[in-house]
Amino acid sequence: MLETKQEIEPELESGSDSEPIFISTAEILRDYTLANESRNASLIGRREVLSGKAKFGIFGDGKEVAQLAMAKAFKKGDFRSGYYRDQTFMFAIGAATIQQFFAQLYAIADVSLEPHSAGRQMNAHFGTRSLNPDGTWRDLTQQFNTSSDISPTGSQMPRLVGLGYASRLYRELDELKHLTQFSRNGNEVAFGTIGNASCAEGMFWEAINAIGVLKAPVVLSIWDDGYGISVPNEYQHTKTNLSDLLTGFQREPNSKSGFDIYTVKGWDYMALVETYQKAANIARRDHVPAIIHVVEMTQPQGHSTSGSHERYKSDERMAFEEEFDCIRKMREWIIEQRIATAGELDQIERNTRKSVENIRTKLWKTFSLPIYKERQEVANIIEEIEATSPQKDELARLRRKLMEKKSPFRRDNMEAIQQALLLVRGEQSPAVQKLAQWRTNQLAISKERYGSHLYSQSSKTHKNVLEIKPVYSEKPATLKGYEVLNRAFDAILGRDPRVITFGEDVGQLGGVNQSMAGMQAKYGKLRVSDTGIREVTILGQAIGLALRGLRPLAEIQYLDYLPYALQIMSDDLATIQWRTRGGQKAPVIVRTRGHRLEGVWHGGSPMGAVVHLLRGIHVLVPRNMVQAVGFYNTLLQTDEPALVVEVLSGYRFRERVPENLTEFTIPLGVPEVVRDGDDVTVVTYGAMVGVAERAADMLARTGIEVEVIDVRSLLPFDVNGRILESLQKTSRILFLDEDVPGGATAYMMQEVIEKQGGFYWLDSEPATLAATEHRPAYGSDGNYFSKPNAEDIFTAVYDIMNEAEPASYPNFYK
């Protein structure tokens, strides 16, 4: 229903969900103008890529009208978790500008010009800034929020679970009511967007199921243009229709279980506005999620600048896309409703094209002038070198070639410098030194420009957590490992209401190893929760909660199950601070357990894979549960994500308990010497520490004294060079773990021998001892012959000493 008056916003607490939507003529024309601005940004953006000024373009053309409707239902405090088609929506809520759009297209690494990723992501990857420059939280209820986009298709879905579920926690947990900078009584809705083709992925279905189970206030939009690049829906979905597939999630009348599901055409302006208002009002008020399947969408420029859709779309489809282009249909509707004349709309279209081009031109100058200036500086220094160099002709040609470059890139400057320095190698002149210094300075600047914020740079970094050493009485109490954790988690949950823990069997059962026993009964089902078997969305649930100010402690039941969630941990969680250049953070703590259990699927140790895929997340490997508690106490004082791998065989072992169990902290990246020795340094972690100690006892009987070092923390690794100190004493070293050969042992070797300079202190070849290449076979014997045991360690260390001093350590076992 159209009226020429301002929109009347329905009240949250009362009123019909189907009240008429009133939109003024002026607002409709503003929307039409914005749609055209967005379309022109896409068209000009494609031209900039094809001309070589930008590297790649992916745009939201064809989705403009639906996104305008979504923006009208989006309120301050709400969150979006979307993908790279949502530029019109971002423009409509004022969370992105045309200037920022082009700044991202040109990869401008300046957060003041490109606040979404500071040039670190491709265009149309948006993310609002949740943090102040010092890393403290902004008031998220007073701004429109979007979690930082990532490219892997469907990967925005897992975090959507937590973004929505946070509203339920904020509404239903009284102990969270004071956190008003994150929520106002849980009234916030999480809006998700996804393309039709990505809905074929498992992450989509897992997330939909989790959202429904959790009754999270989510409004998910499916932008359906019929294709996934060149593959039509008939190859993507059974029955080719997502609405048909999703009917099983439809809630029954008067029920709050399930989704409200809507199907609406992507070119029908008023129907879209009414649908989004209704869905968002119900989700906001009743915490009932909704799916809006937006069909008959088009994609005028194809998938991206890397190809042309004319190659795979039929003439009939191309004709349909022209006829049902959403902006064209909106224009026809405006004229039909006599809101504006064709001539008036023509003028709007001309003005928007001109204004967008002007913005782009101005932004290009802002971007390129500093690089042109740097290029001129390089050319001037090269010219100085020419004056005295025998290579002046070659240098002059190099300089001219640099200055002839049409599109400026800093890499061109660096390549020219390298070539110039090669030409004049051996020449000594102030100008040569000046050029080399210019290069050094630029490398330092670029390291910060592109590499900052992989880890926290706020005052909450782990480096600022005060170390509190454990205090033991003369006769300390002993508890089983699971009891140690249970006592610690009770204290943690009691002192910090933001801590929410969940996972498979965590709630009623208290964890498969009882470390959470009794916690659900004490703190309630919302703070200590069971989940289904859904590792991807357990992790996504944690990310979303953390983005909204909570401190999730998410459990992946076993280390061997971590690969289910590893892609999201690597692509999303590990990169959040980096890809926003400090604009967002998600201090998730992931608990899991592994090592020394028997069996193919429960005894693995993929630590090398974990370490290399999770740069940006701390990876901690405590040898027992007291050590694990020290890490948890530290981590909860930081704003950084971490993975803690508890030793599976340690839950029943008795440990001495410090008097300050719930307060002591362990610094990250600081190894501990658990046995002194002068002959060989053995470096390991987790369950292998105890095995190494047993081997050291046997070696001592032969006169070999082993220094056993527990690294405790793989990321960060030995920040103070403690292992190098041991190597300087022993001059021999063995790296030991349960991973495959070349896994984490090779990583540790590089850290010590290469990065710390341990090579210069070696009297014997450095050695590694890992598990077999195959998975651990089942049973006690299978485990023994698949993983390093005390006898293997004895042999490896003894062989090192035998090679060095065969007379003193003769071989007796071969």
Side-chain angles (χ1 to χ4, degrees), residues 365 367-380 403 408 410 413 438 442:
K365 290 179 180 178
F367 162 59
S368 59
L369 283 176
I371 303 178
Y372 282 132
K373 181 180 177 182
E374 292 169 16
R375 185 172 74 176
Q376 189 62 59
E377 290 175 2
V378 172
N380 291 343
M403 296 301 291
R410 288 188 169 92
N413 297 338
W438 197 97
Q442 284 299 309

Side-chain angles (χ1 to χ4, degrees), residues 80 220 526 698:
R80 165 191 164 274
L220 174 67
L526 290 177
M698 287 191 286

Side-chain angles (χ1 to χ4, degrees), residues 397-465:
R397 278 193 289 271
L398 179 66
R399 174 170 51 83
R400 287 194 296 270
K401 183 179 178 182
L402 174 64
M403 296 301 291
E404 288 168 0
K405 297 275 187 180
K406 292 183 178 180
S407 297
F409 293 104
R410 288 188 169 92
R411 73 174 187 187
D412 297 326
N413 297 338
M414 302 303 287
E415 289 171 358
I417 292 171
Q418 187 74 9
Q419 291 301 315
L421 292 174
L422 276 170
L423 283 170
V424 299
R425 64 189 183 280
E427 296 182 24
Q428 299 295 324
S429 74
V432 170
Q433 292 302 314
K434 184 177 179 181
L435 187 63
Q437 187 60 52
W438 197 97
R439 175 182 179 274
T440 299
N441 294 342
Q442 284 299 309
L443 287 173
I445 292 169
S446 294
K447 183 177 181 180
E448 170 66 20
R449 182 181 283 141
Y450 298 110
S452 70
H453 294 90
L454 180 59
Y455 298 95
S456 174
Q457 295 182 201
S458 78
S459 62
K460 293 288 186 179
T461 173
H462 70 92
K463 298 173 185 176
N464 292 338
V465 175

Side-chain angles (χ1 to χ4, degrees), residues 21 72 75 81 124 186 241 284 311 377 408 410 454 478 488 533 544 563 630 683 688 714-715 769-770:
I21 304 299
K72 293 183 185 301
K75 307 298 181 187
S81 182
N241 191 315
R284 199 177 304 281
R311 292 184 299 166
E377 290 175 2
R410 288 188 169 92
L454 180 59
T478 62
I533 299 177
V683 180
M688 291 305 299
L714 289 172
L715 289 175
L769 177 61

Side-chain angles (χ1 to χ4, degrees), residues 119-163:
R120 296 178 180 184
Q121 294 215 83
M122 289 188 295
N123 79 297
H125 287 65
F126 301 107
T128 52
R129 302 196 75 76
S130 300
L131 308 178
N132 296 308
D134 64 357
T136 58
W137 290 101
R138 293 182 177 183
D139 187 339
L140 302 186
T141 68
Q142 297 302 306
Q143 64 180 46
F144 299 110
N145 303 288
T146 184
S147 56
S148 176
D149 296 342
I150 55 177
S151 294
T153 53
S155 295
Q156 71 273 33
M157 291 297 299
R159 81 170 92 99
L160 181 63
V161 175
L163 288 171

Side-chain angles (χ1 to χ4, degrees), residues 237-268:
H237 309 294
T238 302
K239 300 183 180 181
T240 75
N241 191 315
L242 277 163
S243 291
D244 288 348
L245 288 183
L246 290 164
T247 53
F249 291 95
Q250 175 73 55
R251 69 168 174 148
E252 299 295 328
N254 302 317
S255 170
K256 287 192 175 183
S257 180
F259 287 76
D260 287 336
I261 301 177
Y262 308 85
T263 302
V264 60
K265 294 178 174 60
W267 47 264
D268 191 336

Side-chain angles (χ1 to χ4, degrees), residues 26 64 212 263 288 345 380 394 408 443 487 495 548 610 612 638 689:
E64 293 91 349
T263 302
V288 172
L345 297 183
N380 291 343
E394 287 295 323
L443 287 173
R487 182 178 293 184
R495 70 187 175 220
R548 294 195 58 189
V610 165
H612 293 299
T638 76
V689 173

